[in-house]
Amino acid sequence: LPHLWPSEPMDTKSALVIIPPASRWDPIQHLRRLYDTGFERWMPHMTLIFPFASPDAFLPKIADVEAVAKSTSPFAIALGDVNAFESTGAVWLAPETEPPDAMHDLQERLQEISNTIFKPNVHRPFTPHLTLGRFATDKQRIVDACEEHLQDHDYQLPFQVTEFHWVTRGPDTPFTITKTFVLEGSGLSRRPSQTLPQAINAQHWDDVAAVQQV
């Protein structure tokens, strides 16, 4: 028998995302205002699931997502190098986590819930990213501009992820936070892995751990 997927449609006005702290927004928003066609529609974010479920379809599953959040430990993120997706024309920052697979693990568990609501229209590997802008033919100019602007800011300093959000919007309104899911696991991240940016030293990660213990 063929696999019977749920019949609910995906909703492009609904998403699960991680939002960086407001203290990190200024250099990101400066670039997004110049280069990101989604600037007015989206806050700075790293997508976990998009498109996601409509409110009616998601409400029966909220308890499942809450269970994932309660069993997931907070983790640290540092925004890494500027990259570009040729397929979508996006310029983006690569978030690097400690523990290294923390964001992938969270997304995989949320994707399992999402798959019980609707069938994904495209199956592609999950690539954590924070979009800075979009290009048509001048990719390198935008990449260079982003790198030049960011080098004057401490954007790579790590921050602690203690929550993710369900964001929704109306037909003509920007995304806003509809519900926040707090990570309540007991794990503690203290040291960066060897893959994290060289500029991020151990003292920064000690500071993150100290904040988490308060």
Side-chain angles (χ1 to χ4, degrees):
L1 291 176
H3 186 88
L4 298 178
W5 287 96
S7 58
E8 287 290 341
M10 293 178 292
D11 190 345
T12 57
K13 298 186 292 296
S14 175
L16 295 178
V17 302
I18 293 171
I19 300 174
S23 61
R24 306 303 171 85
W25 280 31
D26 283 354
I28 294 168
Q29 290 294 75
H30 173 83
L31 294 170
R32 293 187 65 235
R33 187 177 289 108
L34 294 174
Y35 303 119
D36 188 3
T37 56
F39 175 78
E40 298 290 346
R41 188 167 60 252
W42 289 94
M43 70 287 285
H45 69 281
M46 290 159 279
T47 300
L48 293 167
I49 306 287
F50 176 78
F52 190 49
S54 67
D56 286 346
F58 181 45
L59 288 176
K61 300 290 183 176
I62 281 183
D64 295 338
V65 174
E66 288 177 332
V68 168
K70 288 179 179 179
S71 62
T72 299
S73 298
F75 56 92
I77 278 184
L79 297 174
D81 296 333
V82 178
N83 295 269
F85 287 133
E86 296 289 347
S87 59
T88 61
V91 175
W92 49 280
L93 290 174
E96 303 175 27
T97 67
E98 182 63 36
D101 294 326
M103 195 167 170
H104 282 85
D105 292 345
L106 174 59
Q107 194 277 339
E108 183 176 347
R109 297 179 68 192
L110 294 173
Q111 186 67 61
E112 290 175 356
I113 296 171
S114 177
N115 289 348
T116 68
I117 305 172
F118 56 78
K119 175 184 177 180
N121 62 346
V122 176
H123 179 71
R124 57 176 178 264
F126 174 63
T127 303
H129 64 282
L130 189 153
T131 299
L132 295 175
R134 301 199 176 270
F135 62 89
T137 59
D138 53 354
K139 176 188 74 173
Q140 197 57 49
R141 179 184 68 85
I142 296 177
V143 168
D144 291 346
C146 290
E147 290 177 338
E148 182 178 359
H149 179 72
L150 290 172
Q151 70 182 0
D152 296 327
H153 297 83
D154 291 330
Y155 79 97
Q156 288 187 319
L157 294 180
F159 57 88
Q160 195 78 352
V161 175
T162 59
E163 60 193 22
F164 62 91
H165 310 277
W166 176 31
V167 296
T168 60
R169 68 178 181 90
D172 302 307
T173 57
F175 279 98
T176 58
I177 295 172
T178 301
K179 184 173 177 59
T180 295
F181 298 92
V182 178
L183 306 184
E184 299 183 16
S186 58
L188 178 65
S189 304
R190 286 191 57 84
R191 298 285 177 178
S193 70
Q194 295 301 311
T195 62
L196 286 167
Q198 293 292 321
I200 302 173
N201 61 39
Q203 181 59 51
H204 292 146
W205 292 94
D206 285 340
D207 292 343
V208 168
V211 169
Q212 187 181 12
Q213 291 174 328
V214 173

